[in-house]
Amino acid sequence: MTKNKQFKQLLEQPNTFLLPGAYDGMTARMIEEFGFPAIYATGAGISNAQLGWADVGLTAVTEIADVVARMSDVTNVPIVVDGDTGFGNALNLMRTVKQLERAGASAIQFEDQVAPKKCGHFGGKQVISKQEMVNKIKAAVDTRQAEDLSIIARTDALAIYGMEEAIDRANAYKEAGADVIFVEAPTTVEQLTQITAQVPDIPHIINMVEGGSTPLVSLEEAEKMGFQIMLCANTVLRSAIKGIQQSLGILQQDKSQENIHEFICTWEERQELFKLKQIKQWEKQYLEFDVLEEARKR
């Protein structure tokens, strides 16, 4: 089964599923190995980890596509890609769809912020008109090469114009052909339940940002509210930051690695994760040969 079809099946199943965010090949591989059914290529995480800057629209589509291609090379589950605003107008978005689909995306998320965008839980956001975003969604649907590539439409209008406008936009984006709806940054449980009730018959994403605008709920609670996907976009990134800070703190304080072992993986765990055994098998299969025999043949 293709990755695209795997993702479509996840959308059609009755149960809500967790979607953790990855920012490179290593974290993508780890998410798959822990048994999660799909991976989210987080725009914020890629900006933080690859550029060293906050999520304020500094990444280029080529940088996102490069990371997604590396993720796709080492995993076998669907990848949902944060396509930001499409990196411009509808024509820019069309090129973005092609690039990310080639890179290995099974679903691409686009939002209605003005470019350059900001993290959905930052202040000072602006959104384009509803009609411009409707046209961008239609362009994405018309541009995708595979009909089963999912298009996710996100609106950031709630924080700017309120719930009524966000619901209106979500329904308009659904009618434009989006496969999944994502209303960003609701601030109460009441708003969460209102979203799924007033935009029916389509899968919804709930975005769980630790310390963000939306109250944290469990997977079971998200399912009861009618959400199909529980996105945890940067939990992995933030846990990595914490672990690195702890290790560097010990190294700085002790000037030794003697007390660092409980904060790092073992040598064996590292090589297992990065498939050293598989590489050795390939070396034996493809690189080992009889040098003297080869010389005689020449």
Side-chain angles (χ1 to χ4, degrees):
M1 185 185 300
T2 67
K3 294 180 182 180
N4 289 12
K5 289 181 179 177
Q6 288 179 49
F7 189 72
K8 287 292 190 184
Q9 282 197 352
L10 289 172
L11 295 180
E12 293 166 1
Q13 69 175 9
N15 300 324
T16 305
F17 65 94
L18 282 165
L19 182 62
Y23 51 85
D24 60 12
M26 177 187 73
T27 48
R29 172 172 272 162
M30 293 178 74
I31 289 168
E32 180 181 21
E33 292 199 352
F34 266 84
F36 292 98
I39 298 159
Y40 182 73
T42 158
I46 291 171
S47 182
N48 294 166
Q50 306 297 326
L51 306 186
W53 290 106
D55 181 22
V56 291
L58 297 177
T59 51
V61 63
T62 49
E63 293 169 322
I64 301 294
D66 284 347
V67 173
V68 171
R70 295 185 196 120
M71 292 181 180
S72 183
D73 282 346
V74 297
T75 57
N76 297 294
V77 296
I79 300 174
V80 180
V81 181
D82 182 357
D84 284 348
T85 64
F87 300 93
N89 63 24
L91 300 183
N92 300 111
L93 182 143
M94 291 167 69
R95 183 165 182 256
T96 295
V97 170
K98 292 179 180 179
Q99 287 180 284
L100 296 181
E101 190 172 8
R102 283 197 303 267
S106 292
I108 309 175
Q109 169 197 309
F110 294 114
E111 64 200 54
D112 58 5
Q113 281 198 51
V114 171
K117 56 77 54 83
K118 294 183 177 182
C119 168
H121 292 252
F122 287 176
K125 298 186 295 183
Q126 295 180 320
V127 293
I128 60 177
S129 72
K130 178 176 71 175
Q131 188 56 54
E132 183 178 356
M133 185 60 179
V134 164
N135 289 344
K136 291 175 81 170
I137 293 166
K138 289 179 178 178
V141 170
D142 291 343
T143 301
R144 61 186 173 190
Q145 299 299 296
E147 290 185 2
D148 55 4
L149 172 74
S150 297
I151 302 299
I152 300 171
R154 169 178 142 180
T155 179
D156 285 68
L158 194 159
I160 305 163
Y161 298 118
M163 179 58 76
E164 185 176 347
E165 176 71 12
I167 295 294
D168 181 55
R169 285 179 178 240
N171 278 304
Y173 301 165
K174 170 186 167 185
E175 292 301 315
D179 300 288
V180 181
I181 292 296
F182 178 177
V183 177
E184 176 66 301
T187 58
T188 66
V189 170
E190 289 72 25
Q191 287 183 341
L192 289 168
T193 56
Q194 190 178 350
I195 290 164
T196 55
Q198 296 188 16
V199 190
D201 305 319
I202 190 168
H204 285 266
I205 291 178
I206 181 171
N207 187 19
M208 295 285 90
V209 179
E210 303 89 342
S213 303
T214 305
L216 296 182
V217 301
S218 69
L219 185 67
E220 181 180 359
E221 290 169 326
E223 187 170 306
K224 287 179 180 178
M225 286 187 282
F227 289 91
Q228 187 67 18
I229 303 171
M230 181 168 160
L231 175 61
C232 303
N234 286 290
T235 305
V236 170
L237 172 79
R238 291 170 67 176
S239 64
I241 291 170
K242 188 69 171 178
I244 292 168
Q245 287 174 332
Q246 290 175 318
S247 295
L248 289 176
I250 292 171
L251 199 59
Q252 174 75 293
Q253 177 180 299
D254 296 352
K255 306 298 188 292
S256 165
Q257 292 152 289
E258 182 178 355
N259 298 317
I260 212 167
H261 297 289
E262 66 178 288
F263 297 99
I264 64 174
C265 69
T266 66
W267 172 268
E268 292 76 18
E269 287 170 335
R270 176 187 173 193
Q271 308 316 326
E272 180 71 19
L273 174 62
F274 296 115
K275 310 301 180 188
L276 180 60
K277 185 182 295 184
Q278 177 65 74
I279 291 171
K280 287 182 178 296
Q281 290 176 352
W282 285 332
E283 287 177 339
K284 186 172 183 179
Q285 182 176 356
Y286 298 119
L287 299 182
E288 291 185 6
F289 54 91
D290 191 323
V291 177
L292 292 177
E293 181 64 24
E294 290 297 316
R296 276 195 298 271
K297 289 179 180 178
R298 295 194 192 98

